[in-house]
Amino acid sequence: MTDPLEQQVRAPVPLADQPFAVTERTQTQLVLRRFLRHRLAVFSLLVFVLIVLFAFVGPLLWKYTYFTSTPDNSQPPSLDHPFGTTGDGKDLLALVMRGTQQSVKISLLIAVVSTAFGTIWGAAAGYFRGVVDAVLMRIADLVIILPILAVAAVLANSSDGAWWMVSLVIAGLVWSHVARVVRGVVLSLREREFVEAARALGATDARIIFRHLVPNAIGPIIVAATILVASGILIETALSFLGFGVQPPDTSLGILVSEARTAVQTRPWLFYFPGLFIILIALCVNFIGDGLRDALDPKQTRVRQ
């Protein structure tokens, strides 16, 4: 005969009385989950991907090229020319594709170069402190106070309009902002226990900086990089508008806006289409940066069990 108490013990536990089960999630999974909850950032990312496809895949599929002239001079938007044409018969859709392609390449190269250089500069200043910190940050402060457009115009004027030279000139003037952000983060991280443990185990300064400090500062670094993408495309647009950026026969969004500034009243499509893409790219990148900033919040990066 079975003991009633034993039957009660062996009976299945109701689902409501079972302990709450939580699956393990890595830090990457947590960051991705928080980013996907930021609907505006996700939507902006999708729009930015579409803009990139438009710029780099579109010219392969469109029947006109940015340097091809047609008999249709100064035509408004139509089925044959969705964005209209310029005064010399060039298809504006093809020009906007090329201009977006160049502007995106320039802004991304600016972000990569300035973020990499600024991260190394700021990490070295924050880690070594003292005289090294004072010298490095005074140089960074000097770069910050330089008038970006004026200096970039002088330097880019001798670059023959090569897009990569324009990118390097602008990157050489904006890296100091990343350096200041990284320095502040490293100053707080260098006193943490894991850094002391690495020193006790004989790790070199370079290993501590690149293996321990920089990875733990990756959140602010990524956010700073997204801000530089938006800033880079606006600076490039301003330079091209002033005539010191990408030079014809090539084009960029800034050149298209500059060339159409006198035709806003008579041929508004020449001004508003490239201007719209400048605004879209800047807004999308800024919203993506907001989503990354929230997702990479260091107060929420622990692994849940």
Side-chain angles (χ1 to χ4, degrees):
M1 186 173 182
T2 306
D3 187 358
L5 180 61
E6 184 178 353
Q7 289 181 351
Q8 183 178 0
V9 172
R10 292 181 179 180
V13 180
L15 183 61
D17 297 333
Q18 292 183 4
F20 182 71
V22 180
T23 58
E24 181 178 356
R25 298 189 185 96
T26 64
Q27 180 172 323
T28 302
Q29 290 173 327
L30 287 173
V31 170
L32 180 60
R33 185 178 182 183
R34 285 195 295 270
F35 180 80
L36 293 177
R37 286 177 178 174
H38 199 298
R39 296 182 180 179
L40 185 57
V42 174
F43 177 75
S44 299
L45 179 61
L46 293 176
V47 174
F48 185 73
V49 170
L50 291 177
I51 290 174
V52 171
L53 292 176
F54 168 81
F56 290 90
V57 180
L60 304 177
L61 305 177
W62 188 233
K63 54 186 176 181
Y64 299 112
T65 62
Y66 71 95
F67 52 82
T68 300
S69 295
T70 68
D72 305 321
N73 298 334
S74 300
Q75 294 297 312
S78 61
L79 291 178
D80 192 39
H81 303 284
F83 285 7
T85 61
T86 63
D88 54 358
K90 292 183 178 179
D91 181 73
L92 186 59
L93 176 58
L95 287 171
V96 171
M97 287 180 182
R98 178 62 177 181
T100 304
Q101 182 184 128
Q102 295 297 83
S103 295
V104 168
K105 288 194 299 184
I106 289 172
S107 60
L108 290 179
L109 184 58
I110 290 170
V112 170
V113 173
S114 56
T115 300
F117 187 77
T119 296
I120 296 172
W121 194 279
Y127 178 76
F128 292 108
R129 298 192 301 184
V131 176
V132 175
D133 181 27
V135 172
L136 292 182
M137 295 318 296
R138 294 302 75 75
I139 296 175
D141 291 340
L142 178 63
V143 175
I144 286 178
I145 65 175
L146 292 175
I148 294 179
L149 284 180
V151 176
V154 173
L155 297 177
N157 192 36
S158 59
S159 66
D160 296 328
W163 70 269
W164 58 272
M165 280 297 297
V166 174
S167 302
L168 294 180
V169 167
I170 299 175
L173 296 171
V174 298
W175 62 266
S176 52
H177 299 278
V178 180
R180 293 188 68 85
V181 171
V182 175
R183 172 185 175 269
V185 177
V186 170
L187 279 174
S188 62
L189 290 176
R190 73 181 304 277
E191 306 299 334
R192 301 284 291 274
E193 291 79 3
F194 67 89
V195 176
E196 295 294 335
R199 288 198 192 99
L201 292 174
T204 63
D205 292 335
R207 181 176 177 82
I208 292 175
I209 291 174
F210 293 106
R211 181 73 174 179
H212 300 287
L213 294 178
V214 171
N216 280 280
I218 196 65
I221 292 173
I222 291 178
V223 173
T226 60
I227 294 174
L228 285 175
V229 173
S231 300
I233 195 168
L234 294 177
I235 295 172
E236 183 278 328
T237 298
L239 282 178
S240 296
F241 186 85
L242 296 173
F244 296 104
V246 177
Q247 299 297 316
D250 206 345
T251 189
S252 71
L253 294 177
I255 290 178
L256 294 176
V257 170
S258 175
E259 292 177 344
R261 68 184 185 275
T262 59
V264 177
Q265 300 297 328
T266 57
R267 293 169 293 168
W269 61 88
L270 297 179
F271 181 86
Y272 288 116
F273 280 117
L276 175 63
F277 274 83
I278 293 173
I279 295 172
L280 279 177
I281 295 173
L283 285 178
C284 287
V285 173
N286 278 324
F287 288 138
I288 293 170
D290 288 342
L292 288 173
R293 181 191 59 206
D294 295 341
L296 294 168
D297 185 353
K299 296 179 182 179
Q300 304 180 38
T301 53
R302 61 183 182 277
V303 178
R304 292 180 54 192
Q305 302 253 350

